[in-house]
Amino acid sequence: MRRQFIAGNWKMNGSAEQVDAFGRALVEAAPALACDLAVCVPFVYIERLKRALTGSGVAPGAQNLSDQVEPGAFTGEINGAMLADCGARYVVVGHSERRAMYGETDEIVVAKAGAALAAGLTPIVCIGESLEQREADETENVLARQIGALINGCKRETLEAMVLAYEPIWAIGTGRSATPEQAQSVHAFVRSQIADWDATIADSLPILYGGSVKPDNASALFAGADVDGALVGGASLKADSFVDIARAID
């Protein structure tokens, strides 16, 4: 049975005070929740978040990493071993903002997923289509390309360990969200693409939905048979809304 998983992505937000308050709230609420939880924060807050979450069972995570496994002359970069050393257990890879704003290609995403696993981190690998691609009926072609790059470029153990997050780019931070029917349809397609390669991995792979997930739409989204949780953006910045989303998991 696939594990149900809720991950928060704070993006470039947060403060030391916010991390501490969030941690206190999660320590109190998390024991009553029925799913795995992670919160991915800016690099500078990972160690502080780890301390704040002590006793909660919630995992700290990062939002990016270098595709370089070994240390070296890569000014400004942070590799997976450093993230793990600070207490991170998960890392977001290939978020649409990284792809669009910083030119991350499918090949870079594959390299970063492998680098994450090499450091003992679980990569949360993001895939998704733009509004223009959806309106041109290109959603399945885009996702098939992104999934194909992972299947062809990643080692089997990376694919076995990763979490996938389907994030329709047109729904990220816009207040728009895919309907529950749209989300389930795409998640089923994603799983079928992986099943064509390896049915066992497809059956066990958690696939999260991301894109304006909120407490008031979470239950309907999670009702999809292939929707295993969420990668939550803005609603993860406040502990109460993050917890309410997690409570929507059956």
Side-chain angles (χ1 to χ4, degrees):
M1 183 176 180
R2 294 188 299 273
R3 60 194 174 98
Q4 304 293 292
F5 182 45
I6 305 292
N9 175 18
W10 281 21
K11 305 190 179 185
M12 198 175 73
N13 294 291
S15 65
E17 181 182 5
Q18 186 176 358
V19 168
D20 292 344
F22 190 93
R24 288 193 297 270
L26 265 290
V27 167
E28 181 178 345
L33 300 174
C35 59
D36 292 344
L37 296 168
V39 184
C40 299
V41 295
F43 297 133
V44 293
Y45 296 129
I46 293 171
E47 198 162 8
R48 190 178 190 108
L49 180 66
K50 179 187 176 183
R51 292 195 300 269
L53 292 173
T54 299
S56 70
V58 181
Q63 301 169 14
N64 186 32
L65 82 164
S66 172
D67 59 359
Q68 300 295 319
V69 174
E70 299 300 327
F74 305 101
T75 300
E77 291 295 294
I78 297 174
N79 72 4
M82 294 172 179
L83 298 177
D85 199 34
C86 289
R89 289 169 49 195
Y90 292 86
V91 58
V92 177
V93 173
H95 191 280
S96 63
E97 290 162 359
R98 299 295 314 176
R99 293 179 187 254
M101 297 177 186
Y102 302 100
E104 292 194 2
T105 63
D106 290 337
E107 291 73 23
I108 291 173
V109 172
V110 165
K112 288 189 173 188
L117 189 66
L121 303 171
T122 297
I124 302 172
V125 180
C126 300
I127 57 175
E129 84 283 7
S130 67
L131 179 60
E132 292 77 14
Q133 289 165 334
R134 171 165 280 273
E135 290 180 340
D137 200 27
E138 288 292 313
T139 295
E140 291 189 354
N141 290 337
V142 172
L143 295 175
R145 187 202 76 225
Q146 293 171 333
I147 295 163
L150 293 170
I151 290 172
N152 294 320
C154 290
K155 294 180 179 179
R156 182 182 181 85
E157 54 264 33
T158 304
L159 292 161
E160 289 175 328
M162 74 171 54
V163 174
L164 272 185
Y166 165 61
E167 293 197 311
I169 299 169
W170 46 271
I172 299 174
T174 63
R176 298 177 61 182
S177 179
T179 67
E181 294 77 17
Q182 287 173 323
Q184 167 55 26
S185 176
V186 174
H187 279 234
F189 172 77
V190 169
R191 201 176 302 283
S192 72
Q193 290 289 293
I194 298 166
D196 286 344
W197 172 72
D198 189 297
T200 300
I201 290 178
D203 188 55
S204 63
L205 181 71
I207 306 177
L208 313 182
Y209 172 78
S212 298
V213 180
K214 301 173 183 177
D216 60 1
N217 66 9
S219 291
L221 289 165
F222 298 159
D226 291 288
V227 180
D228 303 312
L231 179 57
V232 184
S236 71
L237 290 168
K238 294 184 179 180
D240 55 353
S241 59
F242 185 64
V243 168
D244 284 345
I245 290 170
R247 285 182 178 136
I249 291 281
D250 290 332

